[in-house]
């Protein structure tokens, strides 16, 4: 141990601290650089210092990093030491520099970073912005050198800007986010935390306020205030930053001055299911998610009560003539202005990627809504219907505020409802259709296309009612259809007529509109153009409804080719029809009489009569008429004839509404007391119908359908097939100017043309009335058919158009050698469940429209004009 060590070891600690060593070296080495007063006692330090005055690219960087694939070098050993710490894991770097600001736990391994950080606690307007951009006409300045460096890159062409490696990657499962900034990674990782665990940023005071008149905008960032103030400038005075970031997607000319905006835009070209939706709504039972934070913020406001939602000033206004649209978003204004463009000039950048679907639109939300139509009905998202109607006794609710607003207008009187201008007009020749909705115009224009060129949307909405195969491409139409399965008295009739003393109401708005036209004078009722025309030869039928045309065109098909898709499911009933309504009417015949809905009620005072058939109600109401209204000239069912002499000169009259079966009271009573045998029979052998199960089955089906028609439908059935004209005498001179029947349209072989309407007689009732009827018996005989032994049907005065079909020959000698017409129709007997006889007229061959109908009355008819036509009782060929 030296003497100094011995002495030192015996001295107290405080004495050692009280005599610190004082350097006696002089700083003789001085820097000779202009305006630099640096001096040192070491020559090597001076040499090192002088290098700081050299340009950066001339300083010798002798200290190099030995980390793999790192070419960092520096002229300072300390810088190298600091740099090497960047290769350490983040949690191993010593953070010795800590922020002393209240409630701030920031720490770093760099003193300069701490100094920079502490400036963030200063008010924004007090931070020194010493770093300024030297680009021409750019006054950008900042308090951070790195920000200046980043800013200066915006002046470079896009392909010359340096790209930093994204070394910071998110380690969350199935997340491939990466960034060049550690802080960005930290912020991103918080999006994976539950909403209640994410750190809340402290609220900074909003000291920067807008001084524009009537604008209360304030913010904690001076830059945001500067951006906001530009919204008050006229559009042509706002500074425009160069849009150097351009989208490289095919046929997309989007450009922006922000790299982040370009990245966000490029995601719009991705399929909807590939866009990352990291922003999720934390509201109870709400699974909304989006790829934009601003969209989430806007969405969350929909959960607030209406009076608590923030209202932003609508400073962006449309400059289109007579348009007062305004909004708080520039992008919304731009989108709105496209609505003033012609429909074919609007860019449809949003396209459906579904197979064989060429849908495109100019709105992203429309595409999203459309894509849901390709999903199964049970997988489509349901939004909560938070907007409810506050009108008395109205339970309407919707998920869209605009829909509620539109609905509430239905409760206003008709003259107070706002009318939107119908700016969308159809450009089809001679079509004056106009509407206030572009979608409605597009739908209407399809009606002018040929049927095979109209786009077909998939009918994914199907009715779940038993034995109902209805499907549609619209959810609203399905809802409306399902109400048809409800009893008539349970359907909500919310549409009411406001005409004086009119209590009409309906469950369909279109029905109300049609009804209201009945209150207009006949010459003021609007006529819809009948653009749907039948293309059948020599048929000039036209209508304004496509469905009516489709139904009509089936009348040109042979009876055995018409699709009878509606079938009765009752046991042992093979009834089928091409009309759904006919099936519905038919099925009621299988119900017990007391269970059939009697929706048709008599409105006569103190009369509680009701029935399930409108025609029965009409017949019943005639019983309330005064006796003098029931004149002999009115077409009525024949009853027991009184003694009168004027019957001799009464002419034969026809009525195509004549019932299937009519008889005197005594005969009606007789059939009423019979038990139904539940088996009908049709006699085919008399007219030679082939023994073909298919042919005879179709004839029986046609008869079943005809029997279910009410008197109005029966009249339409006959008028469609048959009409009456005057014979010109070209074949029988004795028939000149007499009535004859012709085909109204092409008739198919074995087609049922109608029934031979008349009154049922028995030999007894016929004989008993002979004395009172007098010569009227001759007329009854002239229009009579024997159906079976002791019974016959006479069409005199209770018949329809079929009673006017003329005979093709009279079996007289004067006809020898004449070119007589060929018989093309005949008669066929049929019995119903109670044994009532009905005679049907059937076509023996194909008959063209306009051709006369001829039948053969039989030789016996002409030998004794008073006798009826004999029909064999052979039942061997009855089915």
């Amino acid at each position: 141990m030296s003497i100094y060590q011995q002495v030192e070891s015996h001295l107290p600690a405080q004495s050692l601290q009280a005599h610190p060593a004082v350097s006696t070296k002089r700083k003789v080495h001085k820097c000779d650089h202009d305006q630099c007063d640096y001096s040192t006692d070491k020559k090597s330090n001076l040499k090192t210092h002088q290098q700081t005055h050299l340009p950066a690219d001339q300083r010798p960087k002798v200290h190099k990093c030995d980390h793999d694939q790192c070419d960092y070098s520096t002229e300072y050993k300390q810088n190298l030491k600091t740099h090497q710490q960047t290769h350490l894991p983040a949690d191993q770097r010593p953070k010795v520099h800590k922020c002393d600001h209240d409630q701030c736990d920031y720490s770093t391994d760099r003193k300069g970073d701490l100094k920079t950080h502490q400036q963030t606690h200063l008010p924004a307007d007090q931070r020194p912005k010493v770093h300024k951009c030297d680009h021409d006409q750019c006054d950008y300045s900042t308090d951070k050198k790195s920000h200046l460096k980043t800013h200066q890159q915006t002046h470079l062409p896009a392909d010359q800007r340096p790209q930093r490696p994204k070394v910071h990657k998110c380690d969350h499962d199935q997340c491939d986010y990466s960034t060049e900034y550690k802080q960005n990674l930290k912020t991103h990782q918080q999006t994976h935390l539950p909403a209640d665990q994410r750190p809340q940023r402290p609220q900074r005071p909003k000291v920067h306020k807008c001084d524009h008149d009537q604008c209360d905008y304030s913010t904690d960032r001076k830059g945001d205030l500067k951006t906001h103030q530009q919204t008050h400038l006229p559009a042509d005075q706002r500074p425009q930053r160069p849009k150097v970031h351009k989208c490289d997607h095919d046929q997309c000319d989007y450009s922006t001055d922000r790299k982040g905006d370009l990245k966000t835009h490029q995601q719009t070209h991705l399929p909807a299911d590939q866009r990352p939706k990291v922003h999720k709504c934390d509201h109870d039972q709400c699974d909304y998610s989006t790829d934009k934070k601003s969209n989430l913020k806007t969405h969350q406001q929909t959960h607030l009560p209406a009076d608590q939602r923030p209202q932003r000033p609508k400073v962006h206004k449309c400059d289109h003539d007579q348009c007062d649209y305004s909004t708080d978003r520039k992008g919304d204004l731009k989108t709105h202005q496209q609505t003033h463009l012609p429909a074919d000039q609007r860019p449809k950048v949003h396209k459906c990627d579904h197979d064989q679907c060429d849908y495109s639109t100019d709105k992203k939300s429309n595409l999203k809504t459309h894509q849901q139509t390709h999903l199964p009905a049970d997988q489509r998202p349901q939004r909560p219907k938070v907007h409810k109607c506050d009108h008395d006794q109205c339970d309407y609710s919707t998920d869209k505020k605009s829909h509620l607003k539109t609905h509430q207008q239905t409760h206003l009187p008709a003259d107070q409802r706002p009318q939107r201008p119908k700016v969308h007009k159809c450009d089809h020749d001679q079509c004056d259709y106009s509407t206030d909705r572009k979608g409605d115009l597009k739908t209407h224009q399809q009606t002018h296309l040929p049927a095979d060129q109209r786009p077909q949307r998939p009918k994914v909405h199907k009715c779940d009612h038993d034995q109902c195969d209805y499907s549609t491409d619209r959810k609203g139409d399905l809802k409306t259809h399902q109400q048809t399965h409800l009893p008539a008295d349970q359907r909500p009739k919310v549409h009411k007529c406001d005409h004086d003393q009119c209590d009409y109401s309906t469950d369909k708005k279109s029905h109300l509109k049609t009804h209201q036209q009945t209150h207009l004078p006949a010459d003021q009722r609007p006529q819809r153009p009948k653009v749907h025309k039948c293309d059948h030869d020599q048929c000039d039928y036209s209508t304004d409804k496509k469905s009516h045309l489709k139904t009509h065109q089936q009348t040109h098909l042979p009876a055995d080719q018409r699709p009878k898709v509606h079938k009765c499911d009752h046991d042992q009933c093979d009834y089928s029809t091409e009309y759904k309504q006919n099936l519905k009417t038919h099925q009621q015949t299988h119900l017990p009489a007391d269970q059939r809905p009697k929706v048709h009620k008599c409105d006569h005072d103190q009369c509680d009569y009701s029935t399930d058939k409108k025609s029965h109600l009409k017949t019943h109401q005639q019983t309330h008429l005064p006796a003098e209204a029931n004149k002999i000239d009115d077409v009525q069912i024949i009853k027991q004839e009184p003694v009168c002499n004027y019957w001799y000169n009464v002419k034969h009259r026809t009525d195509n509404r004549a019932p299937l079966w009519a008889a005197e009271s005594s005969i009606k009573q007789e059939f009423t007391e019979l038990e139904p045998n539940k088996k009908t029979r049709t006699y085919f052998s008399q007219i030679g119908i082939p023994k073909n199960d298919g042919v005879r089955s179709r004839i029986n089906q046609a008869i079943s359908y005809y029997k279910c028609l009410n008197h109005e439908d029966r009249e339409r059935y006959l008028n469609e097939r048959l009409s009456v004209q005057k014979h010109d005498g070209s074949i029988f001179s004795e028939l000149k100017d007499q009535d004859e029947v012709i085909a109204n349209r092409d008739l198919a072989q074995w087609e049922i043309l109608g029934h031979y309407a008349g009154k049922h007689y028995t030999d007894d009732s016929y004989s008993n009335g002979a004395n009172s009827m007098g010569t009227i018996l001759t007329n009854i005989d002239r229009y009579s058919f024997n159906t079976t032994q002791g019974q016959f049907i006479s069409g005199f005065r209770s018949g329809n158009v079929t009673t006017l079909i003329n005979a093709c020959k009279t079996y007289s000698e004067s006809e020898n050698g004449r070119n007589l017409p060929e018989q093309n129709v005949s008669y066929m007997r049929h019995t119903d469940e109670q044994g009532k006889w009905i005679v049907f007229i059937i076509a023996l061959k194909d008959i063209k429209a306009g051709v006369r109908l001829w039948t053969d009355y039989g030789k016996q008819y002409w030998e004794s004009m008073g006798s009826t036509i004999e029909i064999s009782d052979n039942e061997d060929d009855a089915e």
Side-chain angles (χ1 to χ4, degrees):
M1 179 181 297
S2 68
I3 185 65
Y4 297 104
Q5 291 174 327
Q6 293 177 2
V7 173
E8 190 178 27
S9 63
H10 291 88
L11 289 174
Q14 57 269 31
S15 66
L16 295 176
Q17 297 176 357
H19 299 82
V22 177
S23 175
T24 58
K25 295 181 179 179
R26 292 180 299 167
K27 298 182 178 181
V28 296
H29 302 282
K30 297 182 180 180
C31 179
D32 57 358
H33 195 273
D34 186 29
Q35 295 181 345
C36 181
D37 56 359
Y38 178 82
S39 62
T40 179
D41 59 340
K42 292 186 179 181
K43 186 177 181 179
S44 59
N45 289 353
L46 176 61
K47 186 177 181 181
T48 302
H49 164 77
Q50 287 175 327
Q51 292 176 357
T52 62
H53 296 298
L54 295 174
D57 55 349
Q58 295 181 20
R59 298 173 194 164
K61 298 182 178 181
V62 296
H63 302 282
K64 298 182 179 180
C65 179
D66 57 358
H67 194 273
D68 187 27
Q69 296 181 345
C70 181
D71 57 358
Y72 177 83
S73 62
T74 180
E75 63 268 26
Y76 298 109
K77 185 177 180 179
Q78 183 59 37
N79 289 354
L80 176 61
K81 187 176 180 179
T82 302
H83 164 78
Q84 288 174 326
Q85 291 179 357
T86 62
H87 295 299
L88 295 175
D91 55 351
Q92 294 183 21
R93 297 173 194 163
K95 297 183 179 181
V96 296
H97 303 282
K98 298 182 179 180
C99 179
D100 56 358
H101 194 272
D102 187 28
Q103 295 181 344
C104 181
D105 56 358
Y106 177 83
S107 61
T108 179
D109 56 334
R110 295 175 184 268
K111 186 177 180 179
D113 290 348
L114 175 62
K115 187 176 180 180
T116 302
H117 163 78
Q118 287 173 327
Q119 292 178 357
T120 62
H121 297 298
L122 295 175
D125 55 351
Q126 295 182 21
R127 297 175 195 161
K129 296 184 177 181
V130 296
H131 303 282
K132 298 182 180 180
C133 179
D134 56 359
H135 195 272
D136 188 28
Q137 296 182 344
C138 181
D139 57 357
Y140 177 83
S141 62
T142 178
D143 57 332
K144 294 187 180 183
K145 186 177 180 179
S146 60
H147 288 184
L148 175 62
K149 187 176 180 180
T150 302
H151 163 78
Q152 287 173 327
Q153 293 174 0
T154 63
H155 296 299
L156 296 175
D159 55 351
Q160 295 182 22
R161 294 174 193 162
Q163 300 294 324
R164 296 180 60 185
K166 298 183 178 181
V167 295
H168 302 282
K169 299 182 179 180
C170 179
D171 56 359
H172 194 272
D173 187 28
Q174 296 181 343
C175 182
D176 57 357
Y177 176 84
S178 61
T179 179
E180 65 267 24
Y181 296 108
K182 181 181 177 181
Q183 183 59 37
N184 290 355
L185 176 61
K186 187 175 180 180
T187 302
H188 164 78
Q189 287 174 325
Q190 293 175 359
T191 63
H192 297 298
L193 296 175
D196 55 351
Q197 296 182 21
R198 297 174 192 163
Q200 299 296 321
R201 292 177 58 189
Q203 295 294 324
R204 299 169 62 184
K206 297 183 178 182
V207 296
H208 303 282
K209 298 182 180 180
C210 179
D211 56 359
H212 194 271
D213 187 28
Q214 295 181 342
C215 181
D216 56 359
Y217 177 84
S218 61
T219 179
D220 60 334
R221 297 177 185 271
K222 187 176 180 180
D224 291 348
L225 175 61
K226 187 175 180 181
T227 302
H228 164 78
Q229 287 173 326
Q230 294 174 359
T231 62
H232 297 299
L233 295 175
D236 56 349
Q237 296 182 21
R238 296 174 192 163
Q240 301 295 324
R241 294 175 61 188
K243 298 182 178 181
V244 294
H245 302 279
K246 298 182 180 180
C247 179
D248 56 359
H249 195 271
D250 187 27
Q251 296 181 343
C252 181
D253 57 357
Y254 176 84
S255 61
T256 179
D257 58 334
R258 297 177 186 271
K259 185 178 179 181
D261 292 347
L262 175 62
K263 186 176 179 180
T264 302
H265 164 78
Q266 287 173 326
Q267 292 179 355
T268 63
H269 296 299
L270 295 175
D273 56 350
Q274 294 182 20
R275 297 174 195 161
K277 297 184 178 180
V278 295
H279 303 283
K280 299 182 180 180
C281 179
D282 56 358
H283 194 272
D284 187 28
Q285 295 181 342
C286 181
D287 57 357
Y288 176 84
S289 61
T290 179
D291 56 333
K292 294 187 180 181
K293 186 177 179 179
S294 59
N295 290 353
L296 175 62
K297 187 175 180 181
T298 303
H299 163 79
Q300 287 174 326
Q301 293 175 359
T302 62
H303 297 299
L304 296 175
D307 56 350
Q308 295 182 20
R309 296 174 191 164
Q311 301 295 323
R312 295 176 59 187
K314 297 182 178 181
V315 295
H316 302 281
K317 299 182 179 181
C318 179
D319 56 359
H320 194 271
D321 188 28
Q322 297 181 341
C323 181
D324 56 358
Y325 176 85
S326 61
T327 178
D328 58 334
R329 296 177 186 272
K330 185 178 179 180
D332 292 348
L333 175 61
K334 187 175 180 181
T335 301
H336 163 78
Q337 287 173 326
Q338 292 178 356
T339 63
H340 297 298
L341 295 175
D344 55 350
Q345 294 182 20
R346 297 174 194 161
K348 296 183 178 181
V349 296
H350 303 282
K351 298 182 180 181
C352 179
D353 55 359
H354 194 272
D355 188 28
Q356 296 181 342
C357 182
D358 57 356
Y359 176 85
S360 61
T361 179
D362 57 333
K363 295 187 180 181
K364 184 179 177 181
S365 58
N366 290 354
L367 176 62
K368 186 175 180 180
T369 302
H370 164 78
Q371 287 173 326
Q372 293 175 0
T373 63
H374 296 300
L375 296 175
D378 56 350
Q379 295 182 20
R380 295 175 191 158
Q382 301 294 323
R383 295 178 61 188
K385 298 183 177 181
V386 294
H387 303 281
K388 299 181 179 180
C389 180
D390 56 359
H391 194 271
D392 187 28
Q393 295 181 343
C394 182
D395 57 357
Y396 176 85
S397 61
T398 179
D399 59 331
K400 295 189 179 182
K401 186 178 180 180
S402 59
H403 290 183
L404 175 62
K405 188 175 180 180
T406 302
H407 163 78
Q408 287 173 326
Q409 294 174 358
T410 63
H411 297 299
L412 296 175
D415 55 349
Q416 295 182 19
R417 296 174 192 163
Q419 300 295 323
R420 295 176 59 188
K422 297 183 177 181
V423 294
H424 303 281
K425 299 181 179 181
C426 179
D427 56 359
H428 194 272
D429 187 29
Q430 296 182 342
C431 181
D432 57 357
Y433 177 85
S434 62
T435 178
D436 59 334
R437 296 177 185 273
K438 180 183 176 182
D440 292 347
L441 175 62
K442 188 175 180 181
T443 302
H444 164 78
Q445 287 174 325
Q446 294 174 358
T447 63
H448 297 299
L449 296 175
D452 55 350
Q453 294 182 20
R454 296 173 192 161
Q456 300 295 322
R457 294 176 59 188
K459 298 183 177 181
V460 294
H461 301 281
K462 298 182 180 180
C463 179
D464 56 359
H465 194 272
D466 188 27
Q467 296 180 346
C468 181
D469 55 358
Y470 176 85
S471 60
T472 179
D473 59 331
R474 297 178 184 271
K475 186 177 180 180
D477 291 347
L478 175 61
K479 187 174 180 181
T480 302
H481 163 78
Q482 288 173 326
Q483 292 179 356
T484 63
H485 296 298
L486 296 174
D489 55 350
Q490 294 182 20
R491 297 175 194 162
K493 296 183 178 181
V494 295
H495 303 282
K496 298 181 180 181
C497 179
D498 55 359
H499 194 271
D500 188 28
Q501 295 181 343
C502 181
D503 56 358
Y504 176 84
S505 61
T506 178
D507 56 332
K508 294 188 180 181
K509 186 178 180 179
S510 59
H511 289 183
L512 175 61
K513 187 175 181 180
T514 302
H515 163 78
Q516 287 173 325
Q517 294 174 359
T518 63
H519 296 299
L520 297 174
D523 56 349
Q524 295 182 20
R525 296 175 191 165
Q527 300 295 324
R528 293 180 60 188
K530 297 183 177 182
V531 295
H532 303 281
K533 298 182 180 181
C534 180
D535 56 0
H536 195 272
D537 188 29
Q538 296 181 342
C539 181
D540 57 358
Y541 177 85
S542 61
T543 178
D544 58 336
K545 295 190 178 182
K546 181 180 177 181
S547 58
H548 290 182
L549 175 62
K550 188 175 180 180
T551 302
H552 163 79
Q553 286 173 326
Q554 293 178 356
T555 63
H556 295 300
L557 296 174
D560 55 348
Q561 294 182 20
R562 296 176 194 160
K564 297 184 177 180
V565 294
H566 302 283
K567 299 181 180 181
C568 179
D569 57 356
H570 195 272
D571 189 27
Q572 295 182 343
C573 181
D574 57 357
Y575 175 82
S576 62
T577 177
E578 62 263 31
Y579 299 109
K580 185 176 180 181
Q581 184 58 37
N582 292 348
L583 175 62
K584 189 173 181 181
T585 302
H586 164 79
Q587 287 174 326
Q588 293 178 356
T589 63
H590 296 299
L591 295 174
D594 55 349
Q595 293 183 20
R596 297 176 193 163
K598 298 181 178 182
V599 295
H600 302 283
K601 298 181 180 181
C602 180
D603 56 359
H604 194 272
D605 188 27
Q606 296 182 343
C607 181
D608 56 0
Y609 176 84
S610 61
T611 178
D612 59 328
K613 294 188 179 181
K614 187 177 180 180
S615 58
H616 289 184
L617 175 61
K618 189 172 181 180
T619 301
H620 163 78
Q621 288 173 326
Q622 293 175 356
T623 63
H624 296 298
L625 296 175
E628 58 270 15
N630 192 5
K631 297 180 180 179
I632 195 66
D633 288 338
D634 294 335
V635 178
Q636 301 287 343
I637 298 175
I638 298 178
K639 302 188 182 301
Q640 184 67 39
E641 306 298 345
V643 177
C644 59
N645 293 326
Y646 59 77
W647 274 91
Y648 181 76
N649 294 322
V650 173
K651 295 182 179 180
H652 174 64
R653 301 174 67 88
T654 60
D655 177 18
N656 282 349
R657 295 193 178 193
L660 275 177
W661 188 84
E664 296 177 340
S665 300
S666 59
I667 301 176
K668 287 183 179 180
Q669 183 66 28
E670 178 182 348
F671 278 97
T672 302
E673 294 173 353
L674 295 176
E675 289 292 333
N677 57 23
K678 296 184 180 180
K679 182 174 178 62
T680 62
R681 298 169 69 88
T682 304
Y683 296 86
F684 297 101
S685 61
Q686 187 70 23
I687 57 176
I689 296 177
K691 291 186 176 181
N692 182 302
D693 292 340
V695 172
R696 297 193 175 191
S697 175
R698 286 193 294 272
I699 292 174
N700 274 327
Q701 289 176 355
I703 290 174
S704 298
Y705 166 74
Y706 187 89
K707 288 163 60 179
C708 292
L709 299 178
N710 58 36
H711 66 280
E712 293 174 346
D713 293 335
R714 209 160 42 240
E715 181 181 30
R716 280 194 290 270
Y717 187 98
L718 291 167
N719 290 341
E720 181 186 325
R721 290 161 175 78
L722 309 175
S723 62
V724 179
Q725 69 178 15
K726 297 296 183 181
H727 186 65
D728 57 6
S730 60
I731 299 178
F732 293 108
S733 58
E734 56 267 41
L735 289 179
K736 183 176 175 58
D737 295 330
Q738 299 296 314
D739 290 335
E740 66 178 358
V741 181
I742 63 171
N744 246 358
R745 63 164 175 80
D746 291 350
L747 304 176
Q749 185 182 30
W750 310 129
E751 181 175 353
I752 296 296
L753 308 184
H755 75 295
Y756 189 90
K759 181 178 177 182
H760 186 104
Y761 288 91
T762 65
D763 285 347
D764 292 340
S765 62
Y766 178 75
S767 301
N768 291 338
N771 294 331
S772 62
M773 292 181 187
T775 54
I776 187 61
L777 295 178
T778 302
N779 288 324
I780 293 178
D781 288 345
R782 184 180 297 275
Y783 292 95
S784 295
F785 280 94
N786 267 24
T787 54
T788 187
Q789 192 65 35
Q791 300 184 36
F792 65 95
I793 295 174
S794 175
F796 179 66
R797 287 194 59 79
S798 61
N800 54 24
V801 65
T802 64
T803 62
L804 301 178
I805 298 176
N806 290 322
C808 60
K809 56 183 177 179
T810 62
Y811 294 93
S812 64
E813 293 182 359
S814 61
E815 291 177 344
N816 293 335
R818 291 178 61 180
N819 187 18
L820 299 177
E822 185 178 359
Q823 180 183 6
N824 51 18
V825 298
S826 189
Y827 303 90
M828 182 173 58
R829 297 179 303 156
H830 173 84
T831 59
D832 65 6
E833 294 85 347
Q834 288 186 319
K836 299 174 184 177
W837 289 96
I838 307 173
V839 175
F840 287 97
I841 291 81
I842 189 170
L844 299 179
K845 58 180 68 176
D846 292 339
I847 305 173
K848 292 292 184 181
V851 173
R852 299 180 177 94
L853 303 190
W854 299 99
T855 188
D856 187 357
Y857 292 166
K859 185 176 181 180
Q860 182 182 2
Y861 175 86
W862 297 104
E863 288 179 348
S864 59
M865 288 290 291
S867 301
T868 56
I869 298 176
E870 294 288 346
I871 298 180
S872 170
D873 280 337
N874 179 18
E875 298 186 0
D876 294 339
D877 198 25
E879 297 183 4

